[in-house]
Amino acid sequence: MSAERVIYALLTGCEPLRALVPSASIRPGEIPLNAAMPAIGYQSLKTVEKSPVSTNSTTLAIANIQLTVAAKTYPEQKRILEQVRLACHRRSGTIAGVRVFHIRTESLGPDEQDSAATLFVQTIHFKVQFQQLTQ
């Protein structure tokens, strides 16, 4: 849950992105069918723990986070994706109380269009390297 908390803090803390997508439309999981557009959904696809960072109760973790951007027009979708990338890519430090070593853009998914709903959708994936507390 730490990597998701980091991504949410970066997205909602980015004023240019909030000008395009209100914070209330940035949510965990899938974007509901009845959601106001534009919207962003985020979810963890996988988290891998590496060897301990030190002898205390922390571990280096690498999470693959997927964000889905949905908008009413293709240009709007692309503007939002660019702001998402700028908000998250190459960030580090303590973010939302989590020690983040590095965030990088992993990939962009294909452009998708739902003609009936007039929706343009695309995903973007980030790798988040962070310090995770262990039990």
Side-chain angles (χ1 to χ4, degrees):
M1 193 66 178
S2 296
E4 296 95 314
R5 190 168 68 234
V6 167
I7 293 295
Y8 179 77
L10 291 171
L11 296 176
T12 58
C14 177
E15 287 187 36
L17 179 59
R18 280 198 333 262
L20 299 170
V21 182
S23 294
S25 293
I26 301 172
R27 58 182 58 123
E30 294 183 10
I31 300 169
L33 294 174
N34 61 351
M37 291 298 137
I40 299 172
Y42 61 91
Q43 61 188 331
S44 174
L45 299 180
K46 175 174 76 171
T47 300
V48 177
E49 292 185 3
K50 298 294 186 178
S51 59
V53 174
S54 64
T55 57
N56 62 19
S57 58
T58 61
T59 300
L60 171 66
I62 303 171
N64 186 347
I65 305 294
Q66 174 180 287
L67 286 84
T68 303
V69 172
K72 288 286 190 185
T73 68
Y74 186 75
E76 181 182 35
Q77 170 203 315
K78 292 303 183 183
R79 282 192 303 273
I80 294 167
L81 277 165
E82 180 61 12
Q83 289 303 317
V84 165
R85 190 189 65 75
L86 291 171
C88 299
H89 185 66
R90 303 186 99 190
R91 301 295 176 177
S92 62
T94 301
I95 303 167
V98 178
R99 184 171 178 207
V100 176
F101 299 109
H102 188 70
I103 300 174
R104 69 179 170 88
T105 305
E106 180 73 5
S107 64
L108 281 173
D111 284 320
E112 297 179 26
Q113 181 181 0
D114 181 341
S115 299
T118 317
L119 279 181
F120 294 84
V121 179
Q122 189 170 18
T123 59
I124 184 169
H125 297 249
F126 291 98
K127 290 280 189 187
V128 181
Q129 294 182 0
F130 64 101
Q131 188 174 18
Q132 180 165 284
L133 296 176
T134 57
Q135 302 295 338

PDB file of all heavy atoms in Angstrom, residues 1-3 5-6 47-63 93-102 128-134:
ATOM      1  N   MET A   1       0.818  -1.200   0.000  1.00  0.00           N
ATOM      2  CA  MET A   1       0.000   0.000   0.000  1.00  0.00           C
ATOM      3  C   MET A   1       0.858   1.259   0.000  1.00  0.00           C
ATOM      4  O   MET A   1       0.395   2.323  -0.378  1.00  0.00           O
ATOM      5  CB  MET A   1      -0.924  -0.063   1.215  1.00  0.00           C
ATOM      6  CG  MET A   1      -2.023   0.917   1.205  1.00  0.00           C
ATOM      7  SD  MET A   1      -3.161   0.568  -0.147  1.00  0.00           S
ATOM      8  CE  MET A   1      -4.344   1.812   0.134  1.00  0.00           C
ATOM      9  N   SER A   2       2.119   1.148   0.374  1.00  0.00           N
ATOM     10  CA  SER A   2       2.986   2.329   0.438  1.00  0.00           C
ATOM     11  C   SER A   2       3.206   2.960  -0.923  1.00  0.00           C
ATOM     12  O   SER A   2       3.153   4.181  -1.059  1.00  0.00           O
ATOM     13  CB  SER A   2       4.340   1.956   1.053  1.00  0.00           C
ATOM     14  OG  SER A   2       4.172   1.540   2.390  1.00  0.00           O
ATOM     15  N   ALA A   3       3.454   2.149  -1.945  1.00  0.00           N
ATOM     16  CA  ALA A   3       3.709   2.692  -3.281  1.00  0.00           C
ATOM     17  C   ALA A   3       2.471   3.401  -3.823  1.00  0.00           C
ATOM     18  O   ALA A   3       2.578   4.464  -4.437  1.00  0.00           O
ATOM     19  CB  ALA A   3       4.157   1.588  -4.231  1.00  0.00           C
ATOM     20  N   ARG A   5       0.201   4.859  -2.005  1.00  0.00           N
ATOM     21  CA  ARG A   5       0.100   6.112  -1.236  1.00  0.00           C
ATOM     22  C   ARG A   5       1.021   7.173  -1.818  1.00  0.00           C
ATOM     23  O   ARG A   5       0.661   8.345  -1.929  1.00  0.00           O
ATOM     24  CB  ARG A   5       0.418   5.832   0.236  1.00  0.00           C
ATOM     25  CG  ARG A   5       0.118   6.992   1.143  1.00  0.00           C
ATOM     26  CD  ARG A   5       0.159   6.619   2.613  1.00  0.00           C
ATOM     27  NE  ARG A   5       1.519   6.302   3.043  1.00  0.00           N
ATOM     28  CZ  ARG A   5       1.887   5.184   3.642  1.00  0.00           C
ATOM     29  NH1 ARG A   5       1.002   4.239   3.885  1.00  0.00           N
ATOM     30  NH2 ARG A   5       3.128   4.998   4.009  1.00  0.00           N
ATOM     31  N   VAL A   6       2.227   6.769  -2.227  1.00  0.00           N
ATOM     32  CA  VAL A   6       3.188   7.683  -2.840  1.00  0.00           C
ATOM     33  C   VAL A   6       2.629   8.242  -4.149  1.00  0.00           C
ATOM     34  O   VAL A   6       2.646   9.456  -4.380  1.00  0.00           O
ATOM     35  CB  VAL A   6       4.540   6.974  -3.086  1.00  0.00           C
ATOM     36  CG1 VAL A   6       5.437   7.778  -4.002  1.00  0.00           C
ATOM     37  CG2 VAL A   6       5.220   6.668  -1.755  1.00  0.00           C
ATOM     38  N   THR A  47       4.485  -6.278  -6.297  1.00  0.00           N
ATOM     39  CA  THR A  47       5.547  -5.712  -5.458  1.00  0.00           C
ATOM     40  C   THR A  47       6.514  -6.835  -5.116  1.00  0.00           C
ATOM     41  O   THR A  47       6.095  -7.908  -4.682  1.00  0.00           O
ATOM     42  CB  THR A  47       4.981  -5.094  -4.165  1.00  0.00           C
ATOM     43  OG1 THR A  47       4.075  -4.057  -4.503  1.00  0.00           O
ATOM     44  CG2 THR A  47       6.101  -4.519  -3.307  1.00  0.00           C
ATOM     45  N   VAL A  48       7.793  -6.579  -5.344  1.00  0.00           N
ATOM     46  CA  VAL A  48       8.838  -7.552  -5.054  1.00  0.00           C
ATOM     47  C   VAL A  48       9.722  -6.974  -3.964  1.00  0.00           C
ATOM     48  O   VAL A  48      10.177  -5.834  -4.065  1.00  0.00           O
ATOM     49  CB  VAL A  48       9.687  -7.841  -6.319  1.00  0.00           C
ATOM     50  CG1 VAL A  48      10.819  -8.802  -6.006  1.00  0.00           C
ATOM     51  CG2 VAL A  48       8.802  -8.375  -7.428  1.00  0.00           C
ATOM     52  N   GLU A  49       9.966  -7.764  -2.911  1.00  0.00           N
ATOM     53  CA  GLU A  49      10.870  -7.341  -1.853  1.00  0.00           C
ATOM     54  C   GLU A  49      12.264  -7.875  -2.141  1.00  0.00           C
ATOM     55  O   GLU A  49      12.432  -9.035  -2.489  1.00  0.00           O
ATOM     56  CB  GLU A  49      10.378  -7.840  -0.497  1.00  0.00           C
ATOM     57  CG  GLU A  49       9.106  -7.182  -0.045  1.00  0.00           C
ATOM     58  CD  GLU A  49       8.689  -7.599   1.356  1.00  0.00           C
ATOM     59  OE1 GLU A  49       9.427  -8.367   2.012  1.00  0.00           O
ATOM     60  OE2 GLU A  49       7.621  -7.148   1.801  1.00  0.00           O
ATOM     61  N   LYS A  50      13.246  -7.004  -1.986  1.00  0.00           N
ATOM     62  CA  LYS A  50      14.644  -7.385  -2.185  1.00  0.00           C
ATOM     63  C   LYS A  50      15.295  -7.604  -0.821  1.00  0.00           C
ATOM     64  O   LYS A  50      14.635  -7.544   0.212  1.00  0.00           O
ATOM     65  CB  LYS A  50      15.389  -6.297  -2.970  1.00  0.00           C
ATOM     66  CG  LYS A  50      14.820  -6.067  -4.357  1.00  0.00           C
ATOM     67  CD  LYS A  50      15.028  -7.276  -5.230  1.00  0.00           C
ATOM     68  CE  LYS A  50      14.586  -7.008  -6.657  1.00  0.00           C
ATOM     69  NZ  LYS A  50      14.814  -8.105  -7.537  1.00  0.00           N
ATOM     70  N   SER A  51      16.587  -7.796  -0.797  1.00  0.00           N
ATOM     71  CA  SER A  51      17.290  -8.029   0.470  1.00  0.00           C
ATOM     72  C   SER A  51      17.120  -6.823   1.392  1.00  0.00           C
ATOM     73  O   SER A  51      16.903  -5.703   0.937  1.00  0.00           O
ATOM     74  CB  SER A  51      18.764  -8.300   0.198  1.00  0.00           C
ATOM     75  OG  SER A  51      19.333  -7.199  -0.468  1.00  0.00           O
ATOM     76  N   PRO A  52      17.235  -7.033   2.701  1.00  0.00           N
ATOM     77  CA  PRO A  52      17.057  -5.933   3.652  1.00  0.00           C
ATOM     78  C   PRO A  52      18.002  -4.767   3.375  1.00  0.00           C
ATOM     79  O   PRO A  52      19.148  -4.959   2.973  1.00  0.00           O
ATOM     80  CB  PRO A  52      17.372  -6.569   5.003  1.00  0.00           C
ATOM     81  CG  PRO A  52      17.160  -8.027   4.795  1.00  0.00           C
ATOM     82  CD  PRO A  52      17.518  -8.289   3.353  1.00  0.00           C
ATOM     83  N   VAL A  53      17.482  -3.551   3.569  1.00  0.00           N
ATOM     84  CA  VAL A  53      18.279  -2.342   3.404  1.00  0.00           C
ATOM     85  C   VAL A  53      19.304  -2.252   4.526  1.00  0.00           C
ATOM     86  O   VAL A  53      20.436  -1.854   4.321  1.00  0.00           O
ATOM     87  CB  VAL A  53      17.362  -1.093   3.396  1.00  0.00           C
ATOM     88  CG1 VAL A  53      18.185   0.180   3.381  1.00  0.00           C
ATOM     89  CG2 VAL A  53      16.439  -1.143   2.208  1.00  0.00           C
ATOM     90  N   SER A  54      18.925  -2.637   5.731  1.00  0.00           N
ATOM     91  CA  SER A  54      19.830  -2.616   6.887  1.00  0.00           C
ATOM     92  C   SER A  54      19.344  -3.669   7.866  1.00  0.00           C
ATOM     93  O   SER A  54      18.443  -4.443   7.577  1.00  0.00           O
ATOM     94  CB  SER A  54      19.849  -1.216   7.516  1.00  0.00           C
ATOM     95  OG  SER A  54      18.569  -0.920   8.030  1.00  0.00           O
ATOM     96  N   THR A  55      19.929  -3.666   9.043  1.00  0.00           N
ATOM     97  CA  THR A  55      19.551  -4.675  10.037  1.00  0.00           C
ATOM     98  C   THR A  55      18.251  -4.334  10.751  1.00  0.00           C
ATOM     99  O   THR A  55      17.726  -5.155  11.472  1.00  0.00           O
ATOM    100  CB  THR A  55      20.672  -4.822  11.081  1.00  0.00           C
ATOM    101  OG1 THR A  55      20.916  -3.537  11.667  1.00  0.00           O
ATOM    102  CG2 THR A  55      21.920  -5.378  10.464  1.00  0.00           C
ATOM    103  N   ASN A  56      17.733  -3.141  10.542  1.00  0.00           N
ATOM    104  CA  ASN A  56      16.439  -2.838  11.159  1.00  0.00           C
ATOM    105  C   ASN A  56      15.328  -3.496  10.350  1.00  0.00           C
ATOM    106  O   ASN A  56      15.582  -4.263   9.436  1.00  0.00           O
ATOM    107  CB  ASN A  56      16.231  -1.323  11.328  1.00  0.00           C
ATOM    108  CG  ASN A  56      16.219  -0.587  10.000  1.00  0.00           C
ATOM    109  OD1 ASN A  56      16.010  -1.182   8.956  1.00  0.00           O
ATOM    110  ND2 ASN A  56      16.440   0.714  10.043  1.00  0.00           N
ATOM    111  N   SER A  57      14.101  -3.212  10.661  1.00  0.00           N
ATOM    112  CA  SER A  57      12.977  -3.936  10.067  1.00  0.00           C
ATOM    113  C   SER A  57      12.466  -3.283   8.778  1.00  0.00           C
ATOM    114  O   SER A  57      11.285  -3.048   8.609  1.00  0.00           O
ATOM    115  CB  SER A  57      11.844  -4.032  11.083  1.00  0.00           C
ATOM    116  OG  SER A  57      11.454  -2.734  11.478  1.00  0.00           O
ATOM    117  N   THR A  58      13.385  -3.023   7.841  1.00  0.00           N
ATOM    118  CA  THR A  58      12.983  -2.479   6.548  1.00  0.00           C
ATOM    119  C   THR A  58      13.565  -3.306   5.412  1.00  0.00           C
ATOM    120  O   THR A  58      14.578  -3.974   5.576  1.00  0.00           O
ATOM    121  CB  THR A  58      13.424  -1.007   6.372  1.00  0.00           C
ATOM    122  OG1 THR A  58      14.841  -0.947   6.438  1.00  0.00           O
ATOM    123  CG2 THR A  58      12.801  -0.115   7.436  1.00  0.00           C
ATOM    124  N   THR A  59      12.901  -3.235   4.283  1.00  0.00           N
ATOM    125  CA  THR A  59      13.306  -3.967   3.090  1.00  0.00           C
ATOM    126  C   THR A  59      13.167  -3.041   1.886  1.00  0.00           C
ATOM    127  O   THR A  59      12.277  -2.193   1.856  1.00  0.00           O
ATOM    128  CB  THR A  59      12.378  -5.190   2.887  1.00  0.00           C
ATOM    129  OG1 THR A  59      12.471  -6.029   4.021  1.00  0.00           O
ATOM    130  CG2 THR A  59      12.738  -5.973   1.662  1.00  0.00           C
ATOM    131  N   LEU A  60      14.030  -3.227   0.902  1.00  0.00           N
ATOM    132  CA  LEU A  60      13.867  -2.528  -0.367  1.00  0.00           C
ATOM    133  C   LEU A  60      12.755  -3.236  -1.131  1.00  0.00           C
ATOM    134  O   LEU A  60      12.788  -4.451  -1.303  1.00  0.00           O
ATOM    135  CB  LEU A  60      15.161  -2.566  -1.182  1.00  0.00           C
ATOM    136  CG  LEU A  60      15.051  -2.052  -2.624  1.00  0.00           C
ATOM    137  CD1 LEU A  60      14.746  -0.556  -2.626  1.00  0.00           C
ATOM    138  CD2 LEU A  60      16.305  -2.349  -3.398  1.00  0.00           C
ATOM    139  N   ALA A  61      11.768  -2.488  -1.557  1.00  0.00           N
ATOM    140  CA  ALA A  61      10.664  -3.054  -2.327  1.00  0.00           C
ATOM    141  C   ALA A  61      10.581  -2.327  -3.662  1.00  0.00           C
ATOM    142  O   ALA A  61      10.887  -1.139  -3.755  1.00  0.00           O
ATOM    143  CB  ALA A  61       9.355  -2.915  -1.568  1.00  0.00           C
ATOM    144  N   ILE A  62      10.194  -3.069  -4.695  1.00  0.00           N
ATOM    145  CA  ILE A  62       9.985  -2.491  -6.022  1.00  0.00           C
ATOM    146  C   ILE A  62       8.566  -2.834  -6.446  1.00  0.00           C
ATOM    147  O   ILE A  62       8.213  -4.002  -6.578  1.00  0.00           O
ATOM    148  CB  ILE A  62      11.005  -3.034  -7.041  1.00  0.00           C
ATOM    149  CG1 ILE A  62      12.429  -2.750  -6.561  1.00  0.00           C
ATOM    150  CG2 ILE A  62      10.754  -2.425  -8.418  1.00  0.00           C
ATOM    151  CD1 ILE A  62      13.501  -3.428  -7.368  1.00  0.00           C
ATOM    152  N   ALA A  63       7.753  -1.793  -6.607  1.00  0.00           N
ATOM    153  CA  ALA A  63       6.349  -1.978  -6.973  1.00  0.00           C
ATOM    154  C   ALA A  63       6.122  -1.541  -8.412  1.00  0.00           C
ATOM    155  O   ALA A  63       6.691  -0.552  -8.867  1.00  0.00           O
ATOM    156  CB  ALA A  63       5.454  -1.170  -6.038  1.00  0.00           C
ATOM    157  N   GLY A  93      12.948  10.716  -2.440  1.00  0.00           N
ATOM    158  CA  GLY A  93      12.863  11.415  -1.163  1.00  0.00           C
ATOM    159  C   GLY A  93      11.736  10.840  -0.327  1.00  0.00           C
ATOM    160  O   GLY A  93      11.195   9.773  -0.625  1.00  0.00           O
ATOM    161  N   THR A  94      11.389  11.522   0.727  1.00  0.00           N
ATOM    162  CA  THR A  94      10.279  11.083   1.565  1.00  0.00           C
ATOM    163  C   THR A  94       8.997  11.679   1.000  1.00  0.00           C
ATOM    164  O   THR A  94       8.835  12.896   0.948  1.00  0.00           O
ATOM    165  CB  THR A  94      10.485  11.504   3.025  1.00  0.00           C
ATOM    166  OG1 THR A  94      11.709  10.926   3.501  1.00  0.00           O
ATOM    167  CG2 THR A  94       9.333  11.033   3.903  1.00  0.00           C
ATOM    168  N   ILE A  95       8.110  10.796   0.560  1.00  0.00           N
ATOM    169  CA  ILE A  95       6.847  11.203  -0.067  1.00  0.00           C
ATOM    170  C   ILE A  95       5.726  10.482   0.666  1.00  0.00           C
ATOM    171  O   ILE A  95       5.738   9.254   0.760  1.00  0.00           O
ATOM    172  CB  ILE A  95       6.826  10.844  -1.570  1.00  0.00           C
ATOM    173  CG1 ILE A  95       8.014  11.484  -2.297  1.00  0.00           C
ATOM    174  CG2 ILE A  95       5.500  11.238  -2.206  1.00  0.00           C
ATOM    175  CD1 ILE A  95       8.262  10.952  -3.692  1.00  0.00           C
ATOM    176  N   ALA A  96       4.790  11.236   1.201  1.00  0.00           N
ATOM    177  CA  ALA A  96       3.656  10.678   1.950  1.00  0.00           C
ATOM    178  C   ALA A  96       4.139   9.771   3.080  1.00  0.00           C
ATOM    179  O   ALA A  96       3.542   8.739   3.359  1.00  0.00           O
ATOM    180  CB  ALA A  96       2.702   9.938   1.020  1.00  0.00           C
ATOM    181  N   GLY A  97       5.251  10.149   3.702  1.00  0.00           N
ATOM    182  CA  GLY A  97       5.795   9.382   4.811  1.00  0.00           C
ATOM    183  C   GLY A  97       6.560   8.135   4.420  1.00  0.00           C
ATOM    184  O   GLY A  97       6.955   7.343   5.275  1.00  0.00           O
ATOM    185  N   VAL A  98       6.797   7.945   3.133  1.00  0.00           N
ATOM    186  CA  VAL A  98       7.502   6.754   2.629  1.00  0.00           C
ATOM    187  C   VAL A  98       8.838   7.199   2.043  1.00  0.00           C
ATOM    188  O   VAL A  98       8.896   8.150   1.266  1.00  0.00           O
ATOM    189  CB  VAL A  98       6.668   6.040   1.534  1.00  0.00           C
ATOM    190  CG1 VAL A  98       7.417   4.846   0.970  1.00  0.00           C
ATOM    191  CG2 VAL A  98       5.315   5.636   2.082  1.00  0.00           C
ATOM    192  N   ARG A  99       9.911   6.488   2.399  1.00  0.00           N
ATOM    193  CA  ARG A  99      11.220   6.778   1.813  1.00  0.00           C
ATOM    194  C   ARG A  99      11.269   6.157   0.419  1.00  0.00           C
ATOM    195  O   ARG A  99      11.264   4.938   0.263  1.00  0.00           O
ATOM    196  CB  ARG A  99      12.343   6.226   2.685  1.00  0.00           C
ATOM    197  CG  ARG A  99      13.698   6.590   2.153  1.00  0.00           C
ATOM    198  CD  ARG A  99      14.795   6.235   3.111  1.00  0.00           C
ATOM    199  NE  ARG A  99      16.081   6.566   2.519  1.00  0.00           N
ATOM    200  CZ  ARG A  99      17.202   5.961   2.824  1.00  0.00           C
ATOM    201  NH1 ARG A  99      17.221   5.029   3.743  1.00  0.00           N
ATOM    202  NH2 ARG A  99      18.307   6.304   2.228  1.00  0.00           N
ATOM    203  N   VAL A 100      11.305   7.018  -0.595  1.00  0.00           N
ATOM    204  CA  VAL A 100      11.305   6.584  -1.990  1.00  0.00           C
ATOM    205  C   VAL A 100      12.708   6.775  -2.559  1.00  0.00           C
ATOM    206  O   VAL A 100      13.263   7.870  -2.501  1.00  0.00           O
ATOM    207  CB  VAL A 100      10.276   7.402  -2.821  1.00  0.00           C
ATOM    208  CG1 VAL A 100      10.338   7.012  -4.285  1.00  0.00           C
ATOM    209  CG2 VAL A 100       8.876   7.219  -2.263  1.00  0.00           C
ATOM    210  N   PHE A 101      13.271   5.707  -3.101  1.00  0.00           N
ATOM    211  CA  PHE A 101      14.597   5.775  -3.698  1.00  0.00           C
ATOM    212  C   PHE A 101      14.538   6.267  -5.136  1.00  0.00           C
ATOM    213  O   PHE A 101      15.396   7.018  -5.578  1.00  0.00           O
ATOM    214  CB  PHE A 101      15.295   4.409  -3.632  1.00  0.00           C
ATOM    215  CG  PHE A 101      15.485   3.937  -2.221  1.00  0.00           C
ATOM    216  CD1 PHE A 101      14.739   2.881  -1.736  1.00  0.00           C
ATOM    217  CD2 PHE A 101      16.385   4.558  -1.372  1.00  0.00           C
ATOM    218  CE1 PHE A 101      14.909   2.442  -0.431  1.00  0.00           C
ATOM    219  CE2 PHE A 101      16.556   4.131  -0.079  1.00  0.00           C
ATOM    220  CZ  PHE A 101      15.809   3.059   0.406  1.00  0.00           C
ATOM    221  N   HIS A 102      13.501   5.827  -5.858  1.00  0.00           N
ATOM    222  CA  HIS A 102      13.419   6.203  -7.269  1.00  0.00           C
ATOM    223  C   HIS A 102      12.064   5.790  -7.839  1.00  0.00           C
ATOM    224  O   HIS A 102      11.553   4.729  -7.516  1.00  0.00           O
ATOM    225  CB  HIS A 102      14.538   5.508  -8.056  1.00  0.00           C
ATOM    226  CG  HIS A 102      14.670   5.969  -9.466  1.00  0.00           C
ATOM    227  ND1 HIS A 102      15.131   7.202  -9.815  1.00  0.00           N
ATOM    228  CD2 HIS A 102      14.384   5.350 -10.630  1.00  0.00           C
ATOM    229  CE1 HIS A 102      15.145   7.329 -11.129  1.00  0.00           C
ATOM    230  NE2 HIS A 102      14.693   6.214 -11.643  1.00  0.00           N
ATOM    231  N   VAL A 128       8.268   1.800  -8.730  1.00  0.00           N
ATOM    232  CA  VAL A 128       8.522   2.586  -7.536  1.00  0.00           C
ATOM    233  C   VAL A 128       9.430   1.778  -6.621  1.00  0.00           C
ATOM    234  O   VAL A 128       9.061   0.694  -6.175  1.00  0.00           O
ATOM    235  CB  VAL A 128       7.204   2.920  -6.794  1.00  0.00           C
ATOM    236  CG1 VAL A 128       7.475   3.758  -5.559  1.00  0.00           C
ATOM    237  CG2 VAL A 128       6.217   3.609  -7.725  1.00  0.00           C
ATOM    238  N   GLN A 129      10.647   2.292  -6.380  1.00  0.00           N
ATOM    239  CA  GLN A 129      11.570   1.647  -5.447  1.00  0.00           C
ATOM    240  C   GLN A 129      11.474   2.404  -4.130  1.00  0.00           C
ATOM    241  O   GLN A 129      11.705   3.628  -4.087  1.00  0.00           O
ATOM    242  CB  GLN A 129      13.004   1.707  -5.968  1.00  0.00           C
ATOM    243  CG  GLN A 129      13.205   0.891  -7.220  1.00  0.00           C
ATOM    244  CD  GLN A 129      14.667   0.944  -7.680  1.00  0.00           C
ATOM    245  OE1 GLN A 129      15.504   1.570  -7.078  1.00  0.00           O
ATOM    246  NE2 GLN A 129      14.947   0.255  -8.773  1.00  0.00           N
ATOM    247  N   PHE A 130      11.157   1.673  -3.054  1.00  0.00           N
ATOM    248  CA  PHE A 130      10.922   2.338  -1.781  1.00  0.00           C
ATOM    249  C   PHE A 130      11.326   1.444  -0.619  1.00  0.00           C
ATOM    250  O   PHE A 130      11.528   0.240  -0.777  1.00  0.00           O
ATOM    251  CB  PHE A 130       9.452   2.764  -1.658  1.00  0.00           C
ATOM    252  CG  PHE A 130       8.476   1.609  -1.640  1.00  0.00           C
ATOM    253  CD1 PHE A 130       7.923   1.163  -0.452  1.00  0.00           C
ATOM    254  CD2 PHE A 130       8.096   0.983  -2.818  1.00  0.00           C
ATOM    255  CE1 PHE A 130       7.032   0.114  -0.423  1.00  0.00           C
ATOM    256  CE2 PHE A 130       7.190  -0.067  -2.808  1.00  0.00           C
ATOM    257  CZ  PHE A 130       6.661  -0.508  -1.609  1.00  0.00           C
ATOM    258  N   GLN A 131      11.425   2.047   0.539  1.00  0.00           N
ATOM    259  CA  GLN A 131      11.760   1.334   1.769  1.00  0.00           C
ATOM    260  C   GLN A 131      10.466   0.872   2.393  1.00  0.00           C
ATOM    261  O   GLN A 131       9.591   1.689   2.714  1.00  0.00           O
ATOM    262  CB  GLN A 131      12.526   2.234   2.716  1.00  0.00           C
ATOM    263  CG  GLN A 131      13.081   1.540   3.921  1.00  0.00           C
ATOM    264  CD  GLN A 131      13.955   2.486   4.737  1.00  0.00           C
ATOM    265  OE1 GLN A 131      13.888   3.690   4.608  1.00  0.00           O
ATOM    266  NE2 GLN A 131      14.783   1.909   5.583  1.00  0.00           N
ATOM    267  N   GLN A 132      10.338  -0.426   2.559  1.00  0.00           N
ATOM    268  CA  GLN A 132       9.108  -0.995   3.116  1.00  0.00           C
ATOM    269  C   GLN A 132       9.391  -1.582   4.492  1.00  0.00           C
ATOM    270  O   GLN A 132      10.385  -2.280   4.678  1.00  0.00           O
ATOM    271  CB  GLN A 132       8.564  -2.091   2.193  1.00  0.00           C
ATOM    272  CG  GLN A 132       7.294  -2.734   2.672  1.00  0.00           C
ATOM    273  CD  GLN A 132       6.645  -3.508   1.568  1.00  0.00           C
ATOM    274  OE1 GLN A 132       6.041  -2.936   0.674  1.00  0.00           O
ATOM    275  NE2 GLN A 132       6.771  -4.820   1.616  1.00  0.00           N
ATOM    276  N   LEU A 133       8.519  -1.298   5.433  1.00  0.00           N
ATOM    277  CA  LEU A 133       8.646  -1.885   6.754  1.00  0.00           C
ATOM    278  C   LEU A 133       8.275  -3.345   6.694  1.00  0.00           C
ATOM    279  O   LEU A 133       7.324  -3.724   6.011  1.00  0.00           O
ATOM    280  CB  LEU A 133       7.755  -1.146   7.755  1.00  0.00           C
ATOM    281  CG  LEU A 133       8.100   0.318   8.008  1.00  0.00           C
ATOM    282  CD1 LEU A 133       7.071   0.936   8.934  1.00  0.00           C
ATOM    283  CD2 LEU A 133       9.484   0.445   8.600  1.00  0.00           C
ATOM    284  N   THR A 134       9.021  -4.180   7.401  1.00  0.00           N
ATOM    285  CA  THR A 134       8.701  -5.602   7.470  1.00  0.00           C
ATOM    286  C   THR A 134       8.157  -5.905   8.854  1.00  0.00           C
ATOM    287  O   THR A 134       8.365  -5.160   9.802  1.00  0.00           O
ATOM    288  CB  THR A 134       9.955  -6.467   7.191  1.00  0.00           C
ATOM    289  OG1 THR A 134      10.967  -6.112   8.120  1.00  0.00           O
ATOM    290  CG2 THR A 134      10.450  -6.260   5.779  1.00  0.00           C
TER     291      THR A 134
END
